[in-house]
């Protein structure tokens, strides 16, 4: 046990019976390694459940796309590839800084860990800002999920004084109970007509990216908590588990987006 | 790592020992991920027919593998953690394949089908064919079932 104490240099210890424990070691674990491995195992099982939760949506995507390839092809032209790719790079960069934050914690560079965590959080904000611009453009055009499709949510398809889209109210008396046709300018500048049933594509788009966005927000909360603990000096090369697990959650957010981006933005016939 | 813990390697001291990769290494992985992102966007401007989605998913999986193996440390982690991740993907593919298979034995009849564009009066993308699909069109509908009534029926 003497060696354990030595290798825990720099962390507080509390006396307990005849043995000296590092403060972070919980009573039901024999060694820090056992505790670390158990935490990691638990995190990976949690990540598996997260993948399966998103899996329901990926399954719905596969089925709907298989049934209506033409609608997916037409509707995906309303997603901006450049904005999607920018968000991908922003998220990949935030994953890099999260990994570097863990590395800094492993070698005991506390300030560097804080720096990388702050950069990660800033990237998360940048991601959400880009997402906000994407969402609001679709709200303008009336590209909304479910029965809202074809009923523009904001200033009736007028942007910068120009009409960018029209919603053709065939069943005007039924509105807004049923989805409507949408005629609008897509991201390559072509006028496109989408049938009411294209609401399915945008339903999947908003639910998949929305659930992902919720994960971004949760990830930001977790990383903020880790940052506060790090500033308070709770971590050391002997104990950095929360930094590691917080970063694992953040990489999961990145992992999901790596699949969402091509499936929503890139797949379909090019113009 | 070696310098900090060299005194403790003659037996298991229970302290956490992990592989620490150099910062440069993480930057290299990031560069690879950005290159793959540029590649997948460039490729999407070419029409390879149904191969487009395969190419996109293969590139996405390469990116996911890089993130999982190095950013998430699976390469240097306990093998069991990798098995958990692979099991998640295995069960996800079972989920999608079995759902897809189930769909093949059901008749399709979208109640909310619309065929014609209100502007041109011509057929529009996503519209149903003139005669709406019945059990016969699906091909795998149960034998002896009345046409269009295959919703609740399952192949025995």
């Amino acid at each position: 046990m003497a060696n354990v104490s030595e290798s825990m240099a720099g962390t507080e210890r509390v006396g307990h019976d005849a043995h000296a424990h590092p403060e972070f070691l919980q009573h039901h674990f024999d060694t820090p390694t056992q505790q670390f491995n158990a935490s990691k195992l638990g995190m990976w099982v949690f990540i598996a459940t997260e993948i399966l939760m998103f899996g329901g949506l990926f399954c719905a995507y596969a089925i709907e796309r298989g049934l209506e390839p033409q609608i997916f092809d037409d509707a995906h032209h309303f997603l901006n590839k450049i904005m999607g790719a920018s968000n991908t790079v922003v998220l990949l960069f935030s994953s890099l800084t999260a990994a570097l934050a863990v590395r800094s914690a492993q070698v005991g560079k506390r300030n560097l860990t804080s720096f990388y965590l702050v950069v990660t959080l800033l990237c998360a904000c940048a991601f959400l800002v880009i997402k906000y611009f994407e969402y609001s453009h679709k709200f303008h055009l009336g590209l909304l999920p479910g029965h809202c499709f074809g009923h523009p949510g904001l200033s009736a398809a007028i942007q910068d004084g120009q009409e960018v889209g029209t919603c053709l109210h065939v069943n005007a008396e039924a509105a807004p109970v049923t989805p409507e046709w949408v005629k609008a300018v897509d991201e390559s500048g072509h006028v496109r007509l989408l049938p009411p049933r294209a609401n399915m594509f945008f339903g999947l788009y908003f639910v998949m990216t929305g659930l992902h966005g919720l994960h971004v927000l949760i990830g930001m909360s977790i990383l903020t908590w880790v940052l506060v603990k790090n500033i308070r000096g709770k971590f050391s090369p002997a104990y950095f588990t929360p930094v590691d697990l917080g970063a694992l959650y953040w990489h999961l957010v990145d992992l999901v987006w790596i699949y969402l981006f091509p499936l929503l933005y890139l797949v379909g016939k090019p113009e | 790592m070696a310098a900090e813990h060299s005194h403790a390697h003659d037996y298991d001291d229970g302290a956490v020992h992990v592989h620490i990769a150099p910062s440069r290494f993480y930057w290299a992985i990031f560069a690879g991920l950005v290159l793959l992102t540029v590649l997948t966007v460039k490729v999407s401007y070419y029409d390879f027919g149904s191969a487009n989605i395969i190419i996109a998913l293969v590139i996405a999986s390469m990116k996911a593998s890089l993130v999982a193996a190095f950013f998430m440390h699976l390469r240097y982690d306990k093998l069991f953690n990798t098995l958990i991740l692979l099991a998640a993907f295995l069960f996800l593919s079972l989920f999608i394949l079995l759902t897809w298979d189930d769909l093949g034995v059901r008749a399709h009849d979208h109640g909310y089908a619309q065929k014609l564009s209100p502007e041109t009066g011509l057929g529009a993308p996503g519209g149903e064919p003139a005669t709406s699909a019945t059990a016969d069109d699906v091909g795998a509908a149960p034998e002896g079932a009345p046409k269009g009534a295959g919703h609740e029926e399952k192949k025995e």
Side-chain angles (χ1 to χ4, degrees):
Chain A
M1 283 315 279
N3 273 329
V4 176
S5 310
E6 258 179 72
S7 62
M8 299 301 150
T11 60
E12 282 182 45
R13 269 168 247 113
V14 289
H16 173 65
D17 297 340
H19 306 290
H21 285 246
E23 190 192 13
F24 59 80
L25 183 62
Q26 293 180 318
H27 283 231
H28 49 285
F29 291 112
D30 287 336
T31 61
T33 298
Q34 192 191 36
Q35 179 174 269
F36 180 71
N37 288 339
S39 303
K40 279 238 178 183
L41 177 66
M43 190 65 197
W44 276 104
V45 170
F46 172 68
I47 286 173
T49 67
E50 287 275 56
I51 289 171
L52 291 174
M53 179 175 68
F54 276 99
L57 291 168
F58 281 107
C59 182
Y61 173 94
I63 301 298
E64 298 287 11
R65 189 194 163 84
L67 291 177
E68 311 264 17
Q70 187 61 51
I71 284 200
F72 272 62
D73 199 69
D74 284 345
H76 102 287
H77 288 292
F78 284 93
L79 305 189
N80 189 320
K81 283 185 189 184
I82 302 306
M83 277 188 158
S86 312
N87 252 352
T88 307
V89 173
V90 166
L91 219 48
L92 288 173
F93 185 74
S94 74
S95 240
L96 166 70
T97 53
L100 289 173
V102 176
R103 189 197 177 273
S104 311
Q106 287 169 339
V107 297
K109 291 182 180 165
R110 185 150 67 94
N111 291 339
L112 204 56
T113 305
S114 296
F115 169 74
Y116 282 128
L117 286 173
V118 169
V119 175
T120 308
L121 287 167
L122 289 177
C123 287
C125 294
F127 178 88
L128 290 176
V129 168
I130 294 177
K131 205 84 225 143
Y132 163 78
F133 284 117
E134 291 192 79
Y135 272 16
S136 58
H137 184 57
K138 280 164 198 65
F139 291 170
H140 277 292
L141 296 182
L143 300 172
L144 294 163
H147 66 262
C148 298
F149 190 76
H151 303 280
L154 301 174
S155 54
I158 305 288
Q159 262 192 350
D160 306 325
Q162 262 192 318
E163 192 179 348
V164 289
T166 315
C167 297
L168 310 171
H169 293 268
V170 181
N171 299 311
E173 70 278 8
V177 181
T178 54
E180 293 285 352
W181 290 79
V182 173
K183 185 183 157 198
V185 180
D186 70 12
E187 293 298 336
S188 358
H190 297 88
V191 177
R192 236 170 236 285
L193 188 62
L194 292 181
R197 285 162 68 198
N199 64 357
M200 181 182 65
F201 176 85
F202 290 95
L204 280 170
Y205 169 78
F206 278 109
V207 174
M208 290 174 109
T209 58
L211 185 64
H212 177 265
L214 183 67
H215 278 75
V216 171
L217 288 175
I218 297 170
M220 288 172 78
S221 324
I222 293 171
L223 291 180
T224 306
W225 174 75
V226 170
L227 175 64
V228 169
K229 282 196 96 169
N230 184 61
I231 290 170
R232 289 186 185 156
K234 299 286 184 190
F235 305 128
S236 67
Y239 176 68
F240 55 87
T241 312
V243 189
D244 205 341
L245 300 196
L248 277 182
Y249 188 88
W250 192 254
H251 296 311
L252 167 73
V253 170
D254 190 25
L255 218 53
V256 172
W257 183 258
I258 282 175
Y259 282 96
L260 281 183
F261 170 57
L263 285 179
L264 292 171
Y265 289 74
L266 300 183
V267 173
K269 282 195 187 65
E271 300 253 47
Chain B
M1 203 65 207
E4 290 157 90
H5 289 284
S6 54
H7 59 281
H9 273 259
D10 44 346
Y11 69 100
D12 180 17
D13 60 0
V16 175
H17 296 278
V18 291
H19 173 86
I20 301 180
S23 302
R24 275 195 321 278
F25 177 76
Y26 288 116
W27 280 95
I29 298 294
F30 171 67
L33 288 167
V34 171
L35 277 179
L36 285 172
T37 305
V38 171
L39 180 69
T40 194
V41 174
K42 290 278 180 206
V43 160
S44 79
Y45 287 101
Y46 297 91
D47 190 2
F48 298 108
S50 57
N52 271 58
I53 189 165
I54 309 285
I55 295 169
L57 284 177
V58 166
I59 296 179
S61 296
M62 287 161 72
K63 288 164 73 182
S65 306
L66 282 177
V67 169
F70 301 111
F71 284 179
M72 299 172 99
H73 308 125
L74 275 183
R75 172 72 178 78
Y76 306 102
D77 228 347
K78 292 231 177 271
L79 183 64
F80 195 69
N81 293 342
T82 308
L83 291 180
I84 292 173
L85 181 65
L86 292 179
F89 279 102
L90 174 73
F91 282 103
L92 177 58
S93 53
L94 272 180
F95 179 28
I96 293 175
L97 286 175
L98 289 176
T99 311
W100 185 254
D101 185 60
D102 181 61
L103 209 73
V105 297
R106 285 163 195 274
H108 299 180
D109 184 17
H110 298 284
Y112 50 95
Q114 298 210 23
K115 183 191 166 228
L116 300 177
S117 154
E119 269 211 326
T120 60
L122 298 173
E128 286 289 297
T131 52
S132 69
T134 62
D136 286 338
D137 298 317
V138 182
E143 278 181 51
K147 281 188 179 181
H151 293 275
E152 311 300 324
E153 307 273 341
K154 261 197 162 181
K155 210 175 202 173
E156 300 280 274

